[in-house]
Amino acid sequence: MSRTENSGKEPPLTVHHLNQLLLACSLVLLVAVAAVRISSRSGLPSLLVYLGIGIVMGQDGLGHIRFDSAEMTQVIGYAALVVILAEGGLGTKWKEIKPVLPAASLLALVGVAVSVGITAAGAHYLVGLEWRQALIIGAVVSSTDAAAVFSVLRRIPLPARVTGTLEAESGFNDAPVVILVVAFSTAGPVEHWYVLVGEIALELAIGAALGIAVGWLGAWGLRHVALPASGLYPIAVMAIAVTAYAAGALAHGSGFLAVYLAAMLLGNAKLPHWPATRGFAEGLGWIAQIGMFVLLGLLVTPHDLLDDVLPAVVIGLVLTMVARPLSVLLSLLPFRVPWPEQILMSWAGLRGAVPIILATIPMVNGVAHSERIFNIVFVLVVVYTVVQGPTLPWLARKLRLGESDGPADLGIESAPLERLRGHLLSVAIPEGSRMHGVEVAELRLPAGSAVTLVVREGKSFVPLPTTVLRRGDELLVVATDPVREAAERRLRAVGRGGKLADWLGANGASANGAH
């Protein structure tokens, strides 16, 4: 094509353009990764830093990039949320979540209903919004953000019951909230509330069933099929989690609940090369958060937010001071949770990018004044993230909930030895483990397993039966396939109970739960 024929058309994408795009993306990622250090030291969820990067790049910032596609933001946000929920589910320990599962489920259902009603009433009577707009805002901000909760709570040494409840709630409550927001954003009124409740229950049941089925089948397959390269295990785990979401969504169920449950099953299935899989998932989770938050920063127009600051603050006060505490109180009534823990759970209802993404649903559906809904939600999330995030550690200390109890658990990685029909277990002895001071012979591993190597202070040696294990040691344990699980149970028992593990249960705890 001649130069004349090409005039007036967009220039073709060249390798030079691709190089510029890659350079810009890499610089944004490097700045965002550096910002993780700032957020971890200050206690602020990284959401604020990444939103700031997007705003600076946007039309009111230095980059002057004009981006106003709510549809693209919603699609990319959904994809990022799937990855974040998968990463959160992989890191959720079943032993911590099992005792609090009923409480977390009630918080995700009853708590959401209470929060939506109270927040919507405040938005209607105090701010003057129409009921439809008020209900949409009430539903949008009633979801605690999984990314914010996971990133903040896992840095605070809280009791397992508190952490497990809040993490499970943040993983569960996205599903009913999405259903409510879509229902309130569709054309026409919601005529029969009981029909809506039935639809929510059906979608949650379908999502839960498919998530459990996909997660169980995926874990079974990965345990019985040795992949040719260790790097394939992380990819396979994330692919199974995403498959659970797709299956749930295509079956008209809750894909978000499906991906969280499937990932939780995979994360507790003792899969091969687990530390590598966990690290891969965390990396994908960070990329999803960075991309999602930067995109939301690009979408917002800062000079349009000024008129909605006061309404956002008022609605946020109703949410944090009335709706959230009442939802926690009513949901946890059957469980007799101590008051300090209820207070902390009330303040730890962190909002993040999820409510902002959900606020794009009415924009895509053409709801009247949906731009104002988005602006109010955006301001509310930013303001109360600044307030709640950094104060959580302080509040935990004041309530005397800032210290965890019990010895540190061992980190065990399993690599399959297909030709030998066995496994190579890599065991790291952390600070606080009661395996410190135990002789190798006192481990009393089952027949078919043995400690073959000890790495201490950068030097490796073959241990004797009388070798005393120390904190910081790394052990290589070879176990045949039939005794692998028994060897892991024995190692964890000694890690928790030390030399007294023979007198304790399989988990290293006595019958009455004492350490």
Side-chain angles (χ1 to χ4, degrees):
M1 182 179 293
S2 66
R3 184 175 302 177
T4 304
E5 293 174 331
N6 194 42
S7 61
K9 296 184 179 180
E10 292 292 331
L13 182 65
T14 65
V15 174
H16 178 68
H17 294 140
L18 179 60
N19 292 338
Q20 289 180 323
L21 178 62
L22 291 175
L23 176 61
C25 292
S26 62
L27 288 176
V28 170
L29 284 174
L30 287 174
V31 172
V33 169
V36 174
R37 179 65 176 172
I38 300 174
S39 65
S40 64
R41 292 176 66 91
S42 64
L44 286 172
S46 52
L47 135 76
L48 296 179
V49 180
Y50 306 145
L51 282 177
I53 293 174
I55 291 174
V56 169
M57 294 171 57
Q59 57 183 331
D60 282 0
L62 301 178
H64 301 291
I65 298 175
R66 183 175 180 83
F67 178 79
D68 56 2
S69 176
E71 293 87 350
M72 182 181 295
T73 303
Q74 182 180 336
V75 171
I76 296 177
Y78 271 37
L81 183 56
V82 169
V83 175
I84 291 170
L85 285 173
E87 189 273 329
L90 291 173
T92 300
K93 297 180 180 179
W94 176 247
K95 65 181 181 181
E96 293 181 359
I97 198 177
K98 182 180 179 181
V100 300
L101 197 57
S105 300
L106 281 182
L107 272 175
L109 296 173
V110 176
V112 163
V114 172
S115 182
V116 170
I118 294 176
T119 306
H124 176 72
Y125 291 109
L126 298 180
V127 179
L129 297 179
E130 297 177 358
W131 271 114
R132 182 169 184 166
Q133 301 169 15
L135 286 170
I136 291 175
I137 289 181
V140 164
V141 300
S142 293
S143 172
T144 56
D145 184 74
V149 170
F150 295 149
S151 63
V152 173
L153 290 184
R154 291 177 182 175
R155 297 197 306 264
I156 306 174
L158 294 174
R161 177 167 63 178
V162 175
T163 303
T165 302
L166 290 172
E167 289 191 3
E169 178 203 7
S170 66
F172 292 158
N173 64 12
D174 288 336
V177 165
V178 169
I179 298 171
L180 285 175
V181 175
V182 171
F184 294 149
S185 301
T186 53
V190 180
E191 297 181 355
H192 303 294
W193 65 268
Y194 53 85
V195 175
L196 179 59
V197 172
E199 290 178 354
I200 293 175
L202 179 60
E203 291 192 26
L204 293 179
I206 294 174
L210 288 175
I212 293 172
V214 172
W216 186 87
L217 289 173
W220 182 88
L222 289 176
R223 283 198 303 264
H224 289 80
V225 177
L227 298 178
S230 60
L232 293 175
Y233 283 90
I235 298 174
V237 167
M238 293 302 297
I240 292 169
V242 174
T243 299
Y245 170 81
L250 290 174
H252 301 287
S254 173
F256 294 120
L257 182 59
V259 66
Y260 183 75
L261 290 177
M264 188 168 63
L265 284 172
L266 291 167
N268 290 273
K270 298 180 180 179
L271 299 177
H273 302 289
W274 179 244
T277 300
R278 188 76 186 93
F280 179 79
E282 287 181 356
L284 284 184
W286 278 112
I287 292 176
Q289 288 187 53
I290 293 169
M292 179 172 59
F293 296 155
V294 171
L295 194 65
L296 291 172
L298 285 173
L299 183 64
V300 72
T301 307
H303 67 261
D304 291 339
L305 300 176
L306 298 179
D307 294 337
D308 297 313
V309 171
L310 183 58
V313 172
V314 172
I315 296 174
L317 282 173
V318 174
L319 173 66
T320 56
M321 297 302 180
V322 182
R324 174 66 181 180
L326 277 179
S327 65
V328 170
L329 175 65
L330 295 177
S331 300
L332 300 182
L333 271 179
F335 306 101
R336 297 181 180 179
V337 177
W339 282 108
E341 295 184 8
Q342 291 196 41
I343 294 172
L344 187 66
M345 291 183 192
S346 299
W347 192 245
L350 300 176
R351 272 75 193 172
V354 172
I356 304 176
I357 291 172
L358 296 181
T360 63
I361 294 177
M363 296 175 67
V364 173
N365 290 351
V367 175
H369 306 293
S370 57
E371 292 80 5
R372 190 185 184 196
I373 294 174
F374 180 86
N375 291 340
I376 289 175
V377 171
F378 188 94
V379 174
L380 186 154
V381 168
V382 171
V383 169
Y384 287 93
T385 299
V386 172
V387 174
Q388 289 178 285
T391 56
L392 262 180
W394 173 84
L395 181 60
R397 289 192 299 269
K398 288 297 182 182
L399 296 173
R400 298 182 179 179
L401 296 174
E403 295 183 358
S404 60
D405 52 0
D409 198 7
L410 297 174
I412 301 179
E413 177 178 0
S414 172
L417 304 174
E418 184 178 11
R419 294 180 61 185
L420 302 179
R421 297 184 60 80
H423 295 267
L424 182 63
L425 307 180
S426 175
V427 182
I429 304 179
E431 293 292 332
S433 173
R434 291 177 180 167
M435 191 177 284
H436 174 78
V438 175
E439 295 182 2
V440 171
E442 293 173 328
L443 293 176
R444 294 183 175 84
L445 296 175
S449 59
V451 179
T452 59
L453 197 70
V454 175
V455 180
R456 179 178 296 167
E457 296 179 352
K459 298 180 179 180
S460 58
F461 59 92
V462 177
L464 299 173
T466 56
T467 299
V468 178
L469 302 176
R470 303 294 182 192
R471 299 184 185 94
D473 286 354
E474 295 184 20
L475 316 180
L476 291 183
V477 180
V478 174
T480 57
D481 192 63
V483 301
R484 171 204 161 185
E485 293 188 2
E488 285 197 29
R489 285 197 300 269
R490 177 61 188 168
L491 289 167
R492 295 187 189 278
V494 176
R496 293 188 176 94
K499 297 180 181 181
L500 298 178
D502 283 341
W503 303 96
L504 303 175
N507 294 324
S510 60
N512 60 7
H515 292 288

